[in-house]
Amino acid sequence: MDILNRVREYREEESRLRWEGTFGEYLEIVKERPHVAQSAHSRIYNMIKDKGLTEKNGRKTYHFFGNDIFGLEEAVERLVEEYFHPAAKRLDVRKRILLLMGPVSGGKSTLVNLLKRGLEEYSRTDAGAVYAIKGCPMHEDPLHLIPPHLRKEFQEEYGIRIEGSLSPLNTMRLEKEYGGRIEDVLVERIFFSEDKRVGIGTFSPSDPKSQDIADLTGSIDFSTIAEYGSESDPRAYRFDGELNKANRGMMEFQEILKSDEKFLWHLLSLTQEGNFKAGRFALISADEMIIAHSNETEYRSFIANKKNEALHSRIIVMPIPYNLRVSEEERIYEKMIKESDMADVHIAPHALRVAAIFSVLTRLKESKKQGIDLVKKMRLYDGESVEGYNQVDLEELQREHKDEGMSGIDPRYVINRISSAIIRKEVPSINALDVLRSLKDGLDQHPSISREDAEKYMNYIAVARKEYDDIAKNEVQKAFVYSYEESAKSLLDNYLDNVEAYCNKNKLRDPLTGEEMNPDEKLMRSIEEQIGISENAKKAFREEILIRLSAYARKGKRFDYNSHERLREAIQKKLFADLKDVVKITTTSQTPDENQLKKVNEVIARLIDEYGYNSTSANELLRYVGSLLNR
């Protein structure tokens, strides 16, 4: 890529998009494309909607957030459906401050940044085009030039409702520069940019004793008072506060509940009436979305203070919890690693998964539902099928604790510990055990983890280790079995033939000799015992399999290796049990013979080529599984 050519193309594209004309010419654009006069809230909602959405199992996934926000589909759907959508329709929620509340590193800032970057990009499209009075520091809506007594007629003709009054500065400019002729006022197309302070503002609280309200509302330019003669002359005022500059777009109010009261009161008028007070002027209209974020502790303290009651009703709180799905947590870590200098480090398969298992376990709350432990709950949340539980059970679990996901280990801690593992190992490759060891060592150093939580988290590390043991044995098993899927299918078909004959009290026919024979009880029991099916329970289990088999046949679907989770587990364990001695000898022999060495090399090659390991991590996996089998 020739970077200079790309910069030149971008500059030419921006020049092509620019437009300048009179208010009269702008009205022709409005007549042709009424959406250019949409409100800030409407623009944000349409920006999200235009990226598309997917509906699955009654849950909407908005593509706008798809590649950056993971595992928070429910929270995002609620945010869009309960705030952005009704606000875009001018319902009363647009007169509220949107407060994202959740634990640290839960995605609040990422979500806000997505909206900011999205607005910058959207304002460069035809659908998101924004026009403003030229030379206005607040990028004021040109339709404010329409006198109040004509706005009803304008709405009837154009179908557009005008809200807000012309600012003091543009009122003066209209008289002095244009002689009151609104049709001659110059209008230009603007492009949102946080860096250039156009349509996007950010306010961050600091020491309330030194921070000035001017940061929000602008200030007097004392160097011009001699020229203009009065502090009340709008030309002697800098309309450069965050509320001024965020007009037409959005303003992020960081850590809003840490702000001094004098800053918060200015938001009351802005959210409720669409205007705010600045200097010695009449109220200044502003069309912008105020989005803030805070953690739960600060929010609880805020609402407990009776002095803040006026603000309570003007805030819509949207909880942004931690992700509770292991597969999505993995994606969070992958994204964070790609954005770091660790992108070239080989991270063995499942290393991030065990970290995700640990993280999610710390965020889940124990269920009162009988038979559900945290591991089963974790699997159900991640979309896995758990025998004996269905979608209704999942929905009951999700409703059980309203604050689930608002506490636990944050993703930054995990990434910090992965970094530590890489540095400590001094090898450009880390595996699941390295990650678990680092997570364990870091618990004592985490300032906000109590001793009681640390003990609980140690148990979760042990659970994650146990999950990894099963994954590791299964991975090696599959690598050792040549054409694993074919072997599993063959064993499954054999088992199903025998189960069908057993349940129907039929005999089987030998494919070679043609003679009839009884179902192979020894084969069936060798598989069923792998998952603890007792002698007394075997008949019920086999009948359950036959019912499932018949149900699939009725629907015209094929019953395969993945159609019954417990049977799949039994087939896996049976295959592995048959191979266990070979694996033990091959992986632990100090002086392997030629055949053993050949087998090890074949397995390592398969782990590298098909499963994503490198030479170091594949050898580490084999040694670890060998040690597990020797226990």
Side-chain angles (χ1 to χ4, degrees), residues 48-49 52-54 60-66 76-77 80-81:
I48 295 168
K49 191 182 68 170
L53 62 89
T54 302
K60 293 178 181 176
T61 301
Y62 288 91
H63 300 168
F64 178 85
F65 303 97
V76 168
E77 181 183 359
V80 175
E81 296 299 320

Side-chain angles (χ1 to χ4, degrees), residues 19-30:
W19 180 91
E20 183 180 314
T22 64
F23 180 68
E25 292 168 329
Y26 170 67
L27 283 182
E28 293 303 314
I29 294 175
V30 172

